[in-house]
């Protein structure tokens, strides 16, 4: 398939992502769902998932498989690859503002059926994935960036935050599994989830939530991610990059799978359970 390609691609559908190549071995998925890149059902199911599948298919079919069986390519350079995930580079404000919470309440199976498969795919993706965080990444937008292998963040006017506690949104099992798989500092976990702290780029770097910060606009952040992608693109040449990731994150992946079986409880339901089970014992 000739790039660039947009998804969804139906005649009456609005494109939400664009897949392109910035280099022979570097793919780009650019999100452009309105002003703040909400991770809606259409964005997840009709755009991000097919975009990830397309990139992996092209790398496997056009690069890795050919190089792996090419006796003249001893170093398997043809199998190099990396992916950059970035928000609309024409804007400077949001990477992603997460879910549309009011709509989410009406679709209890949205996270396990629509969003979690994206997280699982990224955790086992066969080439390095770099999130170019060119604006705020809130809630599920933060989780999307965290599921990538590396994060390059704009140094000014960009925050990372899990703000569910401020709007009454419980976190699903998949979120806790992902974060605990990526962050081992319990004080950072507490600050993220129980204090809803808004991390500046410098704070995020110090907390090891991002790998690099870049001064400048979206293009500068993208270029920083591009430089990193080129440095890392040799890693998947022998085809085991994704396999190793799956082993490293096996408990995280198991936890995300458990989310399919665990219904997220909301505050009124917990209160009803307390009234029914605990209060009568007092």
């Amino acid at each position: 398939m000739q790039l660039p390609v947009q998804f969804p691609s139906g005649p009456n559908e609005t494109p939400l992502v664009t897949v392109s190549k910035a280099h022979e071995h570097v793919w780009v998925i650019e999100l452009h769902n309105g002003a703040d890149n909400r991770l809606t059902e259409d964005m997840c199911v009709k755009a991000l998932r097919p975009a990830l599948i397309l990139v992996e298919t092209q790398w496997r079919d056009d690069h890795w498989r050919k190089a792996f069986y090419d006796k003249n390519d001893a170093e398997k350079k043809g199998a190099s690859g990396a992916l950059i995930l970035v928000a609309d580079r024409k804007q400077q404000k949001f990477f992603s503002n997460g879910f549309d919470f009011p709509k989410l309440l009406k679709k209890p199976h949205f996270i396990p059926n629509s969003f979690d498969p994206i997280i699982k795919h990224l955790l086992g993706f066969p080439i390095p994935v770099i999130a170019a965080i060119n604006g705020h990444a809130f809630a599920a937008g933060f989780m999307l960036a965290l599921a990538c292998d590396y994060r390059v963040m704009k140094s000014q006017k960009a925050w990372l935050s899990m703000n569910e506690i401020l709007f009454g949104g419980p976190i699903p099992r998949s979120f806790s599994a992902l974060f605990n798989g990526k962050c081992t500092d319990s004080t950072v976990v507490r600050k993220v989830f129980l204090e809803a702290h808004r991390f500046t780029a410098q704070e995020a770097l110090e907390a090891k939530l991002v790998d690099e910060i870049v001064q400048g606009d979206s293009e500068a952040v993208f270029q920083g991610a591009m430089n990193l992608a080129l440095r890392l693109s040799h890693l998947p040449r022998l085809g085991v990059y994704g396999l190793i990731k799956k082993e490293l994150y096996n408990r995280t992946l198991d936890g995300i799978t458990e989310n399919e079986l665990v219904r997220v409880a909301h505050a009124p339901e917990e209160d009803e359970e307390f009234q029914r089970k605990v209060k009568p014992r007092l």
Side-chain angles (χ1 to χ4, degrees):
M1 184 179 291
Q2 190 71 27
L3 299 180
V5 172
Q6 293 186 317
F7 293 103
S9 55
N12 298 315
E13 295 179 303
T14 301
L16 301 175
V17 305
T18 299
V19 183
S20 62
K21 288 189 88 171
H23 179 273
E24 181 184 2
H25 300 295
V26 180
W27 286 260
V28 179
I29 296 178
E30 187 168 346
L31 289 65
H32 41 80
N33 184 18
D36 60 355
N37 275 318
R38 291 281 182 176
L39 296 170
T40 61
E41 188 168 21
D42 282 351
M43 170 61 100
C44 293
V45 176
K46 296 183 178 181
L48 268 175
R49 284 174 67 181
L52 289 170
I53 291 170
L54 174 61
V55 172
E56 179 168 356
T57 300
Q58 288 197 343
W59 175 75
R60 290 186 181 279
D61 290 353
D62 301 337
H63 295 264
W64 183 78
R65 198 173 297 116
K66 289 181 179 180
F68 190 78
Y69 293 104
D70 184 356
K71 296 180 180 179
N72 296 318
D73 187 0
E75 296 183 12
K76 309 305 175 188
K77 292 182 179 180
S80 299
L83 168 64
I84 297 172
L85 196 63
V86 64
D88 187 351
R89 288 151 63 186
K90 296 177 182 178
Q91 59 85 50
Q92 314 294 328
K93 190 172 183 180
F94 278 101
F95 175 76
S96 174
N97 203 12
F99 299 141
D100 185 333
F101 187 62
K103 290 184 179 179
L104 178 67
L105 292 174
K106 300 175 183 178
K107 297 184 176 182
H109 300 293
F110 165 75
I111 294 177
N113 292 345
S114 301
F115 185 70
D116 286 354
I118 293 170
I119 299 304
K120 290 172 72 174
H121 197 172
L122 287 170
L123 288 174
F125 210 70
I127 60 178
V129 184
I130 300 97
I133 307 174
N134 54 335
H136 304 312
F138 291 155
F142 188 178
M143 291 294 100
L144 179 64
L146 199 66
C148 298
D149 300 308
Y150 298 85
R151 284 156 293 285
V152 177
M153 185 175 179
K154 188 169 73 165
S155 64
Q156 300 291 329
K157 297 182 180 180
W159 291 325
L160 298 182
S161 178
M162 293 299 296
N163 56 348
E164 279 80 354
I165 202 168
L166 301 180
F167 62 80
I171 63 166
R173 181 72 55 84
S174 55
F175 282 23
S176 60
L178 174 61
F179 207 93
N180 285 316
K182 292 277 187 166
C183 179
T184 58
D185 189 333
S186 61
T187 60
V188 173
V189 174
R190 182 180 64 200
K191 200 168 187 177
V192 168
F193 287 100
L194 298 181
E195 298 175 20
H197 183 75
R198 289 185 173 186
F199 287 80
T200 65
Q202 185 60 43
E203 289 175 327
L205 183 65
E206 292 170 359
K208 300 181 181 179
L209 296 173
V210 301
D211 300 281
E212 296 180 14
I213 58 177
V214 177
Q215 292 185 348
D217 59 8
S218 288
E219 283 302 322
V221 177
F222 177 78
Q223 190 56 53
M226 182 67 186
N227 293 339
L228 181 58
L230 292 173
R231 295 201 302 270
L232 299 170
S233 63
H234 68 285
L235 294 173
R237 289 179 183 175
L238 296 181
V240 296
Y241 190 84
L243 293 174
I244 292 173
K245 283 168 60 174
K246 289 176 183 177
E247 285 303 316
L248 287 175
Y249 300 125
N250 70 86
R251 291 184 180 179
T252 301
L253 290 165
D254 288 345
I256 294 173
T257 300
E258 285 179 11
N259 191 46
E260 300 171 5
L261 307 174
V262 179
R263 183 178 179 278
V264 176
H266 293 270
E269 295 170 308
E270 185 189 35
D271 184 61
E272 289 177 6
E273 184 176 5
F274 176 83
Q275 298 276 4
R276 185 176 67 255
K277 293 184 178 180
V278 180
K279 191 175 179 181
R281 300 175 187 172
L282 300 178

